[in-house]
Amino acid sequence: DTEVTQTPKHLVMGMTNKKSLKCEQHMGHRAMYWYKQKAKKPPELMFVYSYEKLSINESVPSRFSPECPNSSLLNLHLHALQPEDSALYLCASSQMDKTNTGELFFGEGSRLTVL
Amino acid sequence: AQSVTQLGSHVSVSEGALVLLRCNYSSSVPPYLFWYVQYPNQGLQLLLKYTSAATLVKGINGFEAEFKKSETSFHLTKPSAHMSDAAEYFCAVSDRDGGFKTIFGAGTRLFVKA
């Protein structure tokens, strides 16, 4: 069983819609990530939060807006998306202490389809 | 800059045969290395990781990998393939300053024939 929970598992939205993806972990990890994965491709890093602050934004378009309300939750707000944004969106978390080896714990992903 | 190269986008083996998935890395400092597996419509799951404690690393589901610094390789092996091993496998590297940026290889799809 995954310890990173993502909702919804599937989302279909029009280009004018506003929706959100949610991610939750209860492992005490203080780093959380959003990745985008297109079919038959590796995950691509979008955002990294460490201690609830945005640490890395990989030049992601502003139609994607991340939010980290607390150490257990991570949201990705979506607005005015394009069909090419259709993909599997993966949330991950990792430790931030001295034992951190960069191991990522992934959720099962949210499959997004933009019509 | 770190990078990972996986040789072979597809590998096909018979059930019971040896599995060998190849990964070479490039890093200016000793890296952390990982193998992740992804089953269809699921997230990634860690198979094993190298963090410099031992060069031969054992993971879940009977997989293991050997870190060879001289060859900059971290190949994944399993002595006997099972049908349930059919999945996408990603080799990945992260640096040692906190591991925020994990670089993934392009992935290798493993097919297992009955």
Side-chain angles (χ1 to χ4, degrees), chain A residues 35-37 41-45 90 106, chain B residues 38 44 90 104-105:
Chain A
Y35 281 85
K36 173 182 178 180
Q37 187 180 26
K41 296 291 186 182
E44 297 175 19
L45 183 64
L90 294 164
F106 284 90
Chain B
Q38 185 176 32
L44 280 71
F90 293 99
F104 288 91

Side-chain angles (χ1 to χ4, degrees), chain A residues 79-95:
Chain A
H79 175 54
L81 295 192
Q82 303 297 310
E84 58 264 29
D85 295 322
S86 298
L88 182 67
Y89 288 83
L90 294 164
C91 174
S93 68
S94 71
Q95 295 172 319

Side-chain angles (χ1 to χ4, degrees), chain B residues 45-57:
Chain B
Q45 178 185 7
L46 182 73
L47 273 178
L48 48 80
K49 62 182 178 182
Y50 167 75
T51 59
S52 80
T55 57
L56 183 62
V57 181

Side-chain angles (χ1 to χ4, degrees), chain B residues 19 47-48 57-64 76-78 85 89:
Chain B
V19 175
L47 273 178
L48 48 80
V57 181
K58 294 187 183 300
I60 62 172
N61 301 337
F63 284 93
E64 62 182 38
L76 182 71
T77 60
K78 181 174 180 178
D85 294 327
Y89 291 80

